[in-house]
Amino acid sequence: MIETRPLSELALRLVDIQNAYEKLLAPKQTPSDAMAAIGKVKPADLFTQPIKSDDDAAAVLCGIWLLHDALHESHEISQSLLGSTGSFWHAIVHRRRGFFQREVLV
């Protein structure tokens, strides 16, 4: 039979020391105070200078959502970003969601 898991047993044991992998994952729900505070924020609201790159400004907001464990909101932004910046944030969102989980972010 062909092994379908990407990591070896050794790698799985190393990741699971002190439940390290679970500590990386976001909780099931974003704190309500974070949702209320960030909910209507636009990327331009985050800067005191004119924005030179809309994607880079949106990436900052993506990171702020992610900081507060709002995976859905962060995922929506990361998917709209073009190029390596979007790919970077999109990968981090999915890492926080759980590499071994086969769930799709909706």
Side-chain angles (χ1 to χ4, degrees), residues 38-85:
I38 308 167
K40 301 216 186 297
V41 172
K42 304 289 184 233
D45 300 335
L46 302 172
F47 301 94
T48 59
Q49 302 292 318
I51 294 172
K52 294 181 181 179
S53 167
D54 290 337
D55 276 2
D56 289 347
V60 172
L61 184 56
C62 176
I64 289 172
W65 276 118
L66 191 59
L67 177 67
H68 294 285
D69 300 319
L71 298 182
H72 177 74
E73 291 76 7
S74 185
H75 188 254
E76 290 291 312
I77 295 170
S78 71
Q79 281 194 308
S80 73
L81 301 175
L82 302 175
S84 60
T85 298

Side-chain angles (χ1 to χ4, degrees), residues 7-61:
L7 296 178
S8 69
E9 288 298 320
L10 172 60
L12 292 171
R13 280 196 318 272
L14 294 174
V15 167
D16 201 39
I17 294 172
Q18 296 181 354
N19 205 17
Y21 181 72
E22 293 297 320
K23 292 175 187 176
L24 294 175
L25 301 179
K28 300 276 186 209
Q29 189 172 353
T30 305
S32 58
D33 56 341
M35 293 297 291
I38 308 167
K40 301 216 186 297
V41 172
K42 304 289 184 233
D45 300 335
L46 302 172
F47 301 94
T48 59
Q49 302 292 318
I51 294 172
K52 294 181 181 179
S53 167
D54 290 337
D55 276 2
D56 289 347
V60 172
L61 184 56

Side-chain angles (χ1 to χ4, degrees), residues 87-103:
S87 297
F88 174 82
W89 284 106
H90 192 234
I92 292 175
V93 170
H94 277 279
R95 177 64 61 176
R96 292 290 311 282
R97 178 67 170 175
F99 182 76
F100 299 108
Q101 296 175 5
R102 298 289 186 221
E103 299 174 30

